[in-house]
Amino acid sequence: QQQVKQSPQSLIVQKGGISIINCAYENTAFDYFPWYQQFPGKGPALLIAIRPDVSEKKEGRFTISFNKSAKQFSLHIMDSQPGDSATYFCAASRYGGSQGNLIFGKGTKLSVKP
Amino acid sequence: EAQVTQNPRYLITVTGKKLTVTCSQNMNHEYMSWYRQDPGLGLRQIYYSMNVEVTDKGDVPEGYKVSRKEKRNFPLILESPSPNQTSLYFCASSSRGRKNTEAFFGQGTRLTVV
Protein backbone atom coordinates (compact mmCIF):
# COMPACT_ATOMS: atom_id res chain seq x y z
CA GLN A 1 0.00 0.00 0.00
CA GLN A 2 1.53 3.27 -1.12
CA GLN A 3 0.88 5.80 1.60
CA VAL A 4 2.18 8.84 -0.29
CA LYS A 5 1.44 9.16 -4.00
CA GLN A 6 3.45 11.67 -6.02
CA SER A 7 2.90 12.98 -9.54
CA PRO A 8 4.11 13.56 -12.16
CA GLN A 9 7.04 11.18 -12.43
CA SER A 10 8.91 13.65 -14.61
CA LEU A 11 8.42 17.29 -15.53
CA ILE A 12 9.98 19.57 -18.12
CA VAL A 13 9.57 23.31 -17.63
CA GLN A 14 10.95 26.32 -19.47
CA LYS A 15 13.16 28.75 -17.59
CA GLY A 16 10.97 31.29 -15.83
CA GLY A 17 7.95 29.00 -15.75
CA ILE A 18 6.10 27.50 -12.79
CA SER A 19 6.82 23.92 -11.74
CA ILE A 20 4.06 22.12 -9.85
CA ILE A 21 4.43 18.73 -8.17
CA ASN A 22 1.54 17.08 -6.40
CA CYS A 23 1.29 14.58 -3.56
CA ALA A 24 -1.60 12.79 -1.89
CA TYR A 25 -1.58 10.85 1.35
CA GLU A 26 -3.90 8.40 3.01
CA ASN A 27 -3.00 8.29 6.69
CA THR A 28 -4.78 11.07 8.57
CA ALA A 29 -2.32 10.61 11.44
CA PHE A 30 0.43 12.24 9.34
CA ASP A 31 1.23 15.68 10.71
CA TYR A 32 4.49 16.69 9.04
CA PHE A 33 4.96 17.08 5.29
CA PRO A 34 8.46 17.91 4.00
CA TRP A 35 9.80 18.23 0.49
CA TYR A 36 13.32 17.05 -0.27
CA GLN A 37 15.52 18.03 -3.21
CA GLN A 38 18.15 15.66 -4.58
CA PHE A 39 20.88 16.47 -7.09
CA PRO A 40 22.69 13.67 -8.96
CA GLY A 41 25.31 11.97 -6.80
CA LYS A 42 24.04 13.62 -3.62
CA GLY A 43 21.77 12.69 -0.77
CA PRO A 44 18.34 14.32 -0.45
CA ALA A 45 18.26 17.65 1.38
CA LEU A 46 15.30 19.34 3.04
CA LEU A 47 13.82 22.07 0.86
CA ILE A 48 10.70 23.16 2.71
CA ALA A 49 8.18 21.59 5.11
CA ILE A 50 4.68 22.25 6.38
CA ARG A 51 2.45 21.13 9.22
CA PRO A 52 -1.33 20.78 8.78
CA ASP A 53 -2.22 23.79 10.92
CA VAL A 54 -1.45 26.09 7.95
CA SER A 55 -2.61 25.93 4.33
CA GLU A 56 0.42 27.49 2.70
CA LYS A 57 4.10 28.08 3.39
CA LYS A 58 6.43 30.12 1.23
CA GLU A 59 10.20 30.28 1.24
CA GLY A 60 11.62 32.34 -1.57
CA ARG A 61 10.52 30.84 -4.90
CA PHE A 62 9.25 27.67 -3.24
CA THR A 63 5.70 27.32 -1.89
CA ILE A 64 3.86 24.40 -0.32
CA SER A 65 0.09 24.39 -0.63
CA PHE A 66 -1.72 22.07 1.77
CA ASN A 67 -5.32 20.86 1.57
CA LYS A 68 -6.15 18.87 4.70
CA SER A 69 -9.68 17.89 3.68
CA ALA A 70 -8.48 16.51 0.33
CA LYS A 71 -5.35 14.98 1.92
CA GLN A 72 -3.20 16.62 -0.73
CA PHE A 73 -0.20 18.92 -0.79
CA SER A 74 1.83 20.37 -3.59
CA LEU A 75 5.12 22.12 -4.28
CA HIS A 76 5.16 25.18 -6.50
CA ILE A 77 8.45 26.50 -7.86
CA MET A 78 8.04 30.00 -9.23
CA ASP A 79 10.39 31.45 -11.87
CA SER A 80 11.99 28.02 -12.34
CA GLN A 81 15.73 28.08 -13.08
CA PRO A 82 18.06 25.50 -14.69
CA GLY A 83 19.71 25.14 -11.28
CA ASP A 84 16.40 23.80 -9.95
CA SER A 85 16.80 20.72 -12.15
CA ALA A 86 16.80 17.87 -9.65
CA THR A 87 14.64 15.09 -8.28
CA TYR A 88 12.02 16.19 -5.76
CA PHE A 89 10.49 13.94 -3.13
CA CYS A 90 7.47 14.65 -1.00
CA ALA A 91 7.22 12.86 2.32
CA ALA A 92 4.99 12.50 5.34
CA SER A 93 5.37 11.38 8.92
CA ARG A 94 3.65 11.33 12.27
CA TYR A 95 4.83 12.86 15.54
CA GLY A 96 5.43 16.28 13.99
CA GLY A 97 8.88 15.66 12.60
CA SER A 98 11.38 13.47 10.80
CA GLN A 99 12.00 11.12 13.68
CA GLY A 100 11.31 7.49 13.00
CA ASN A 101 9.29 6.79 9.95
CA LEU A 102 9.42 9.27 7.06
CA ILE A 103 7.31 7.91 4.18
CA PHE A 104 8.46 9.19 0.79
CA GLY A 105 6.72 9.54 -2.54
CA LYS A 106 8.37 8.00 -5.59
CA GLY A 107 9.94 11.25 -6.73
CA THR A 108 9.63 13.72 -9.61
CA LYS A 109 12.53 14.42 -11.92
CA LEU A 110 12.38 18.10 -12.86
CA SER A 111 14.25 19.46 -15.87
CA VAL A 112 14.26 23.22 -16.41
CA LYS A 113 15.21 24.13 -19.97
CA PRO A 114 17.14 27.37 -20.56
CA GLU B 1 30.67 20.68 9.99
CA ALA B 2 27.41 18.86 10.69
CA GLN B 3 27.27 15.77 8.56
CA VAL B 4 26.25 12.17 8.07
CA THR B 5 29.12 10.04 6.76
CA GLN B 6 28.63 6.77 4.96
CA ASN B 7 31.32 4.31 3.90
CA PRO B 8 32.04 3.02 1.42
CA ARG B 9 30.58 5.21 -1.33
CA TYR B 10 30.77 2.41 -3.90
CA LEU B 11 30.86 -1.33 -3.37
CA ILE B 12 30.77 -4.30 -5.72
CA THR B 13 30.43 -7.68 -4.07
CA VAL B 14 29.43 -11.25 -4.82
CA THR B 15 26.27 -13.03 -3.77
CA GLY B 16 26.46 -14.37 -0.25
CA LYS B 17 29.50 -12.45 0.96
CA LYS B 18 28.63 -10.62 4.17
CA LEU B 19 29.13 -6.87 4.11
CA THR B 20 28.65 -3.86 6.36
CA VAL B 21 27.94 -0.27 5.34
CA THR B 22 28.87 2.16 8.07
CA CYS B 23 27.02 5.36 8.98
CA SER B 24 28.14 7.97 11.45
CA GLN B 25 26.66 11.34 12.43
CA ASN B 26 28.24 14.16 14.43
CA MET B 27 25.06 16.05 15.40
CA ASN B 28 24.15 14.05 18.52
CA HIS B 29 20.88 13.04 16.85
CA GLU B 30 18.66 10.49 18.53
CA TYR B 31 17.04 9.19 15.34
CA MET B 32 18.81 7.37 12.53
CA SER B 33 17.43 5.53 9.50
CA TRP B 34 18.47 3.55 6.47
CA TYR B 35 16.78 3.92 3.09
CA ARG B 36 17.25 2.33 -0.27
CA GLN B 37 16.58 4.23 -3.50
CA ASP B 38 15.59 2.42 -6.65
CA PRO B 39 14.47 3.90 -10.00
CA GLY B 40 10.72 4.41 -10.05
CA LEU B 41 10.33 3.36 -6.42
CA GLY B 42 11.69 6.40 -4.61
CA LEU B 43 13.12 6.11 -1.12
CA ARG B 44 12.00 3.17 0.96
CA GLN B 45 12.88 2.83 4.62
CA ILE B 46 14.75 -0.32 5.65
CA TYR B 47 15.25 0.16 9.40
CA TYR B 48 15.21 3.03 11.83
CA SER B 49 16.46 3.64 15.34
CA MET B 50 14.97 6.01 17.88
CA ASN B 51 17.94 5.79 20.25
CA VAL B 52 20.76 3.53 21.41
CA GLU B 53 19.69 -0.12 21.49
CA VAL B 54 16.24 0.78 20.06
CA THR B 55 15.62 -0.26 16.45
CA ASP B 56 12.55 -1.08 14.38
CA LYS B 57 11.71 -2.34 10.92
CA GLY B 58 10.79 -0.02 8.11
CA ASP B 59 8.98 -0.97 4.92
CA VAL B 60 11.62 -3.27 3.37
CA PRO B 61 13.67 -4.91 6.16
CA GLU B 62 14.07 -8.40 4.67
CA GLY B 63 17.72 -9.37 4.16
CA TYR B 64 19.10 -6.55 6.32
CA LYS B 65 20.25 -6.15 9.91
CA VAL B 66 21.16 -3.08 11.92
CA SER B 67 22.60 -2.29 15.31
CA ARG B 68 22.78 0.87 17.42
CA LYS B 69 25.38 0.35 20.10
CA GLU B 70 26.50 3.98 20.11
CA LYS B 71 24.46 7.10 19.47
CA ARG B 72 26.59 8.30 16.56
CA ASN B 73 26.83 5.02 14.59
CA PHE B 74 24.19 2.97 12.79
CA PRO B 75 25.73 0.28 10.56
CA LEU B 76 23.72 -1.63 7.95
CA ILE B 77 24.59 -5.30 7.68
CA LEU B 78 23.83 -7.60 4.76
CA GLU B 79 24.50 -11.12 6.03
CA SER B 80 24.05 -12.82 2.66
CA PRO B 81 23.65 -10.23 -0.11
CA SER B 82 21.63 -11.10 -3.18
CA PRO B 83 21.40 -9.34 -6.58
CA ASN B 84 18.01 -7.83 -5.66
CA GLN B 85 19.80 -5.81 -2.99
CA THR B 86 21.70 -3.94 -5.69
CA SER B 87 20.65 -0.38 -4.94
CA LEU B 88 21.62 3.09 -3.75
CA TYR B 89 21.56 3.26 0.05
CA PHE B 90 21.18 6.33 2.22
CA CYS B 91 21.61 6.81 5.94
CA ALA B 92 19.79 9.70 7.63
CA SER B 93 19.67 11.23 11.08
CA SER B 94 17.38 13.70 12.85
CA SER B 95 16.76 15.08 16.29
CA ARG B 96 13.84 14.57 18.63
CA GLY B 97 11.18 17.23 19.08
CA ARG B 98 9.00 19.42 16.89
CA LYS B 99 11.72 21.98 16.19
CA ASN B 100 14.79 21.25 14.07
CA THR B 101 13.16 18.13 12.71
CA GLU B 102 15.08 18.06 9.44
CA ALA B 103 16.43 14.67 8.41
CA PHE B 104 20.07 14.93 7.28
CA PHE B 105 21.15 12.41 4.66
CA GLY B 106 24.55 10.96 3.88
CA GLN B 107 26.07 11.00 0.40
CA GLY B 108 24.88 7.50 -0.37
CA THR B 109 26.43 4.08 -0.96
CA ARG B 110 25.99 2.48 -4.35
CA LEU B 111 25.99 -1.28 -3.89
CA THR B 112 26.19 -3.81 -6.70
CA VAL B 113 25.74 -7.51 -5.91
CA VAL B 114 26.81 -9.86 -8.71
Side-chain angles (χ1 to χ4, degrees):
Chain A
Q1 180 186 5
Q2 188 183 351
Q3 295 194 58
V4 179
K5 294 182 179 179
Q6 183 172 347
S7 63
Q9 191 172 356
S10 63
L11 182 61
I12 299 174
V13 173
Q14 289 296 125
K15 178 182 175 181
I18 302 173
S19 304
I20 301 174
I21 305 171
N22 300 300
C23 282
Y25 63 97
E26 298 175 3
N27 189 343
T28 55
F30 289 148
D31 61 0
Y32 176 70
F33 303 91
W35 285 89
Y36 280 79
Q37 180 187 55
Q38 184 183 31
F39 293 105
K42 302 291 187 182
L46 180 66
L47 183 63
I48 186 172
I50 197 168
R51 293 194 170 90
D53 49 347
V54 296
S55 60
E56 185 175 281
K57 183 173 181 180
K58 184 175 181 180
E59 290 184 1
R61 296 184 294 109
F62 301 91
T63 300
I64 300 179
S65 297
F66 184 81
N67 186 330
K68 189 174 182 178
S69 61
K71 293 188 287 185
Q72 294 175 347
F73 58 110
S74 58
L75 176 69
H76 296 237
I77 306 175
M78 309 300 288
D79 186 26
S80 299
Q81 299 297 312
D84 297 330
S85 297
T87 299
Y88 292 81
F89 293 95
C90 63
S93 74
R94 297 182 291 173
Y95 315 122
S98 301
Q99 51 267 40
N101 205 0
L102 257 181
I103 308 295
F104 284 88
K106 292 187 176 183
T108 297
K109 186 173 183 179
L110 171 66
S111 296
V112 181
K113 300 300 184 185
Chain B
E1 180 189 353
Q3 60 185 4
V4 177
T5 303
Q6 294 178 228
N7 279 298
R9 292 289 310 277
Y10 302 92
L11 179 59
I12 301 174
T13 190
V14 296
T15 299
K17 185 176 181 182
K18 181 179 178 179
L19 67 91
T20 298
V21 183
T22 64
C23 174
S24 180
Q25 51 95 1
N26 63 0
M27 295 167 278
N28 201 36
H29 285 165
E30 292 83 5
Y31 298 93
M32 298 186 74
S33 302
W34 276 102
Y35 294 85
R36 60 177 289 173
Q37 184 175 7
D38 302 289
L41 296 178
L43 289 153
R44 294 179 293 167
Q45 192 177 57
I46 303 170
Y47 269 95
Y48 66 95
S49 169
M50 301 179 84
N51 216 324
V52 176
E53 302 291 2
V54 181
T55 63
D56 207 350
K57 296 177 180 178
D59 296 320
V60 288
E62 293 78 19
Y64 304 95
K65 283 177 58 177
V66 293
S67 69
R68 187 93 181 272
K69 294 185 171 61
E70 304 166 284
K71 195 173 185 179
R72 63 182 293 127
N73 296 322
F74 191 44
L76 179 70
I77 303 158
L78 285 72
E79 295 269 3
S80 182
S82 62
N84 65 11
Q85 292 179 298
T86 292
S87 187
L88 179 58
Y89 291 86
F90 287 100
C91 179
S93 73
S94 59
S95 65
R96 191 185 353 224
R98 290 181 63 86
K99 288 187 177 180
N100 300 321
T101 57
E102 175 179 356
F104 291 84
F105 283 79
Q107 293 278 62
T109 295
R110 187 167 291 282
L111 172 66
T112 302
V113 184
V114 298

